[in-house]
Structure formats: structure tokens, C-alpha cells
Amino acid sequence: MKTNTLTPAQTATTQPKYYEVDGALKANANRAWVLAFLTVPIALLAIGFAIFVRMQPPTVIRIGSNGEAVVLGKASKGAAGDAASAGADEFLDEAFVKRFLSGYLNYSAADVDERWAGSLNMMTRNLRANTIKAMGDDNTRGKIDDGQIESVFHLREINPVSGEPLTYLVYGVKDVHHLSKGTETTDHFVNEYRVRLIADRRSDVNPDGLWIAEYSERPIDGERRDQILSAPDAVPGSDDPGNKGGQ
């Protein structure tokens, strides 16, 4: 029976060289290191994305009275602006307050309806309803016609209230001219006006995105009254002595 046997020379040629085995091990190790280094930026990217997602505010959806769903903090389709931008500009907020007071406190018997209509439309619904009711109970409109009352408002100061967003204290003089038994009389009212705004979505109906949410006035006495009475108007050209009012 014939058997196959290998000679020592043949055995040496069939076994890999020691340096070939060592090279293969080093190649495999190098590939492992390359793979490990490639996973590092991927892991850092995943961690950064997880942190970014956690920092995002939650999505809040408001359902309006008409059934319209609006994502708060994002501009709705067809809206003129973003609710987050309304009430964020102090200059525009003060201008809104001044425009309201100018229309509400400057009037005569001939134009009081037009001026008050514009000012009332700047109020929230509940404040507008309460104001109209108070006017009706006091017969304010009838008194204006009976006395041919004319009111001229002179704004002296406007200051934001610290710690109360969109709230302002306004100081001014209201000169009220009226007829009594054929004689004209002028009364000077020095008042503090408190006006609080509320921000809303900007729209075609309310492009400012603001409403008058609170309005009140109270008289001022003492030295503070004299100071406001003698101060110039807080409007362009206030250095003109003829623009002081209440003199």
C-alpha cells in the first residue's frame, strides 16, 4: 500500500512564513484602529444632535374659537407677522400708547365719535365693553354735546413700569374747554394714565399685534402736579414755549 509522505523541504514550503503571519495580524489591527477612529466623530455627532433636540422648546398648538390650529411661536400661513415679534419693540409699543391716548383724549363735539371709535377699536373686547357701558351710564357723549366740550391732551412723560411687561405710566395735562351759560371755561386736569398692552398675532385686522388691555387715570396733586404742568410736551418741537399747554 502506497502512502503520501511529505519531506521536510515540502513541509517548509507549504507553511506560511513567520513574517507573513505577523504582517496579516498587523494589517487586521490597523483596520480595527481605522474603524475605531471613524466611529468617534459619528458618536460625537450623535451626542450633539441629542443635545440640540433636548434644547428645543416643546411644540404648543393653540386651537382658536373658529377651529383653526396655530403653532405658537411660528408664523401661520397668510399672517402678516409673527406673534413673537409683536410687543418686542419698545419704540413701537410706546408709539402705540401715544396713538391711543392722542385719539382718546383729543376730541371736540364735531369729531368725538370718529376719534373714540378708533380708540375703542384698539382695546380688547372686554375693556371696550366696560368702557362703552361706563360712558352710557355717565351720559358722557351727551355732556360733550351740551357743553360743546373740546379736550386737548398734552403728553409730558411716558415711562415703562419696571417688572410689568408692556405696561406704561403716562403723565400729561388735559385742557378741557366747555361752555357754561354762554361763558367759555377751561379746566386743566393733570393726570397719571396707566396703560397696559397685550400682544397678539398680527393680522389684517390688527397689523400692530397689540391691544389696550388696561386703562385708568388718576389726578395728581402737590409739587408733582406743578412739575408736570410746567414741563414741555414730550413730542417733537417740545422746546417751543407755545407747546406747553395748561398755562
Side-chain angles (χ1 to χ4, degrees):
M1 184 175 180
K2 184 183 282 186
T3 60
N4 295 327
T5 58
L6 298 176
T7 63
Q10 292 175 333
T11 303
T13 57
T14 57
Q15 291 180 349
K17 305 297 183 179
Y18 73 91
Y19 52 81
E20 293 178 351
V21 175
D22 185 63
L25 293 175
K26 287 186 176 181
N28 290 334
N30 291 337
R31 283 193 290 268
W33 278 110
V34 171
L35 182 61
F37 280 117
L38 289 176
T39 58
V40 171
I42 297 175
L44 294 177
L45 182 63
I47 294 173
F49 181 74
I51 294 175
F52 174 78
V53 171
R54 293 289 295 177
M55 292 177 62
Q56 297 303 304
T59 301
V60 180
I61 300 176
R62 181 177 65 183
I63 306 298
S65 58
N66 58 352
E68 179 185 2
V70 178
V71 179
L72 299 185
K74 293 184 179 180
S76 60
K77 184 177 180 180
D82 191 356
S85 63
D89 191 318
E90 184 176 347
F91 178 80
L92 296 179
D93 299 341
E94 288 190 7
F96 187 81
V97 173
K98 292 177 182 178
R99 191 165 79 246
F100 166 74
L101 293 175
S102 177
Y104 193 60
L105 301 177
N106 287 292
Y107 58 83
S108 66
D111 63 4
V112 61
D113 293 329
E114 178 182 355
R115 286 185 168 273
W116 279 3
S119 298
L120 289 171
N121 286 332
M122 298 171 70
M123 299 180 180
T124 57
R125 290 183 179 179
N126 50 335
L127 178 60
R128 186 188 312 145
N130 294 334
T131 302
I132 293 175
K133 183 178 183 302
M135 288 179 175
D137 295 341
D138 191 53
N139 191 28
T140 305
R141 183 65 182 86
K143 292 178 180 178
I144 293 176
D145 283 337
D146 294 341
Q148 289 298 297
I149 294 176
E150 179 181 359
S151 174
V152 180
F153 178 66
H154 304 273
L155 188 147
R156 299 300 201 235
E157 298 178 15
I158 178 169
N159 303 309
V161 179
S162 177
E164 298 186 38
L166 299 178
T167 304
Y168 294 87
L169 289 180
V170 182
Y171 301 92
V173 180
K174 184 170 66 171
D175 297 335
V176 178
H177 310 272
H178 57 91
L179 286 174
S180 178
K181 297 180 181 180
T183 303
E184 182 186 28
T185 304
T186 301
D187 297 323
H188 307 296
F189 298 94
V190 182
N191 295 330
E192 175 190 89
Y193 303 88
R194 179 183 175 88
V195 182
R196 181 173 63 85
L197 307 178
I198 186 171
D200 192 10
R201 276 193 310 149
R202 289 179 174 171
S203 63
D204 294 337
V205 178
N206 184 10
D208 295 294
L210 296 169
W211 299 99
I212 303 294
E214 179 184 335
Y215 170 81
S216 62
E217 60 182 75
R218 69 176 185 88
I220 299 177
D221 297 320
E223 295 182 0
R224 180 59 171 159
R225 180 185 188 278
D226 297 335
Q227 179 184 2
I228 295 175
L229 193 61
S230 61
D233 286 1
V235 294
S238 60
D239 292 337
D240 184 358
N243 198 27
K244 289 192 174 183
Q247 302 297 317

